[in-house]
Amino acid sequence: MGLVLAIGLTLFTACGVDTPASSPSSPPPPGTTTVFTTLPQPSPTTSAPPSSAPQPPPSSRQPPKTGKVVVLDPGHNGGNSGRPGEINKQVPAGRGKTKPCNTTGTSTNSGYTEHAFTWDVSQRISQALAAKGIRVILTRQNDTGVGPCVNERAAIGNDAGADAVVSIHADGSNSAGAHGFHVAYSAPPLNAQQGEPSMRLATALRDGLRTGGFPTSTYLGSNGLAPRADLGGLNLSTRPAALVECGNMRNAAEAAAMASEEGRQQYAAVIAKAIEDYLAA
């Protein structure tokens, strides 16, 4: 269905994965200077309107706050490739392991980068969730910086007490026929939030993407779900967390969808809806 149902698909490998920001009235959690609010509140007017003034139409009002907090983690960053020393330093990755701070990510064969894709899609998801009154925090402020490291990304979600942490990525496998999305979660779980809550979040994301017409991975995981013990951002999370590999950037059809504005909007719409469904359950 839509853009991706038509994908005649072929390819994926796990990209080097490694995680809203607060509104101007709420300072970011301690130690998370990379956190920022994607949709700042408008500045207050200097004087209140007369009581007889007509109220603005509902569409222009701020949505009621739900009290829910979602941390979106756009994978990688645009400046990573220029700072190899910084992104290759070893940091904690959970389970007694270390791994590089971050990676450069993958790209399509024509050069459209994963970091640009994840940044664009995460902003679209953020806007959709904020429109429903959900507070959204991003783990990076732009697509020109470096990092943050995987342990720092996890800390942002932990410090925010996020109701859900969702990392957005894309894969880059050259294996023949590899295509489709998969959703990773930490397994075996290291804490209660990595158990049923994270599994439920991963399943909601899988179901949302599949309902939206995106095919499940042909080469990694099973039925669109991939338990992982090697992803630092998931291992270090104390909040419900999952990582979405949206598709294989080396597959021609999926690459075309990711590189198009329409395709990115479709990814964002179904992921945002899946997050809403999870929060409402």
Side-chain angles (χ1 to χ4, degrees):
M1 129 179 181
L3 279 172
V4 183
L5 269 184
I7 288 177
L9 314 162
T10 95
L11 326 184
F12 270 61
T13 100
C15 67
V17 152
D18 313 289
T19 199
S22 44
S23 67
S25 59
S26 301
T32 59
T33 57
T34 57
V35 178
F36 78 113
T37 301
T38 57
L39 293 181
Q41 301 293 322
S43 300
T45 55
T46 56
S47 60
S51 57
S52 59
Q55 294 297 309
S59 61
S60 66
R61 298 175 186 166
Q62 291 296 317
K65 302 301 181 185
T66 66
K68 300 293 186 180
V69 177
V70 171
V71 168
L72 295 177
D73 176 30
H76 314 287
N77 207 331
N80 284 3
S81 60
R83 303 281 284 278
E86 190 168 341
I87 67 167
N88 287 328
K89 69 181 180 182
Q90 294 292 302
V91 300
R95 305 183 192 274
K97 307 290 186 180
T98 62
K99 69 184 307 178
C101 161
N102 210 269
T103 66
T104 59
T106 188
S107 67
T108 67
N109 290 332
S110 62
Y112 181 64
T113 61
E114 180 185 0
H115 64 78
F117 170 77
T118 65
W119 176 244
D120 183 281
V121 170
S122 294
Q123 287 187 300
R124 294 171 187 269
I125 298 171
S126 175
Q127 291 167 3
L129 294 178
K132 298 298 181 68
I134 298 167
R135 181 184 172 214
V136 180
I137 296 170
L138 293 177
T139 59
R140 57 184 173 101
Q141 301 179 15
N142 52 52
D143 196 37
T144 58
V146 180
C149 298
V150 291
N151 58 320
E152 295 171 321
R153 292 173 186 248
I156 291 171
N158 296 343
D159 292 346
D163 295 285
V165 179
V166 179
S167 293
I168 305 298
H169 284 260
D171 224 340
S173 172
N174 287 313
S175 298
H179 68 271
F181 77 87
H182 63 272
V183 183
Y185 57 94
S186 182
L190 297 173
N191 55 56
Q193 294 301 311
Q194 290 181 16
E196 188 275 339
S198 291
M199 184 66 191
R200 188 161 51 85
L201 174 59
T203 301
L205 290 163
R206 186 276 310 274
D207 291 349
L209 281 158
R210 193 161 55 183
T211 299
F214 295 92
T216 56
S217 174
T218 60
Y219 69 98
L220 201 156
S222 175
N223 200 25
L225 295 176
R228 298 282 293 269
D230 61 326
L231 300 180
L234 299 181
N235 287 338
L236 296 171
S237 181
T238 58
R239 308 305 304 161
L243 183 150
V244 182
E245 292 280 7
C246 292
N248 184 14
M249 299 192 93
R250 299 301 173 84
N251 172 270
E254 291 186 333
M258 292 182 199
S260 73
E261 183 173 357
E262 183 181 359
R264 294 192 297 273
Q265 180 59 36
Q266 187 180 0
Y267 275 112
V270 298
I271 292 172
K273 178 62 165 56
I275 294 172
E276 290 177 49
D277 289 346
Y278 168 79
L279 294 176

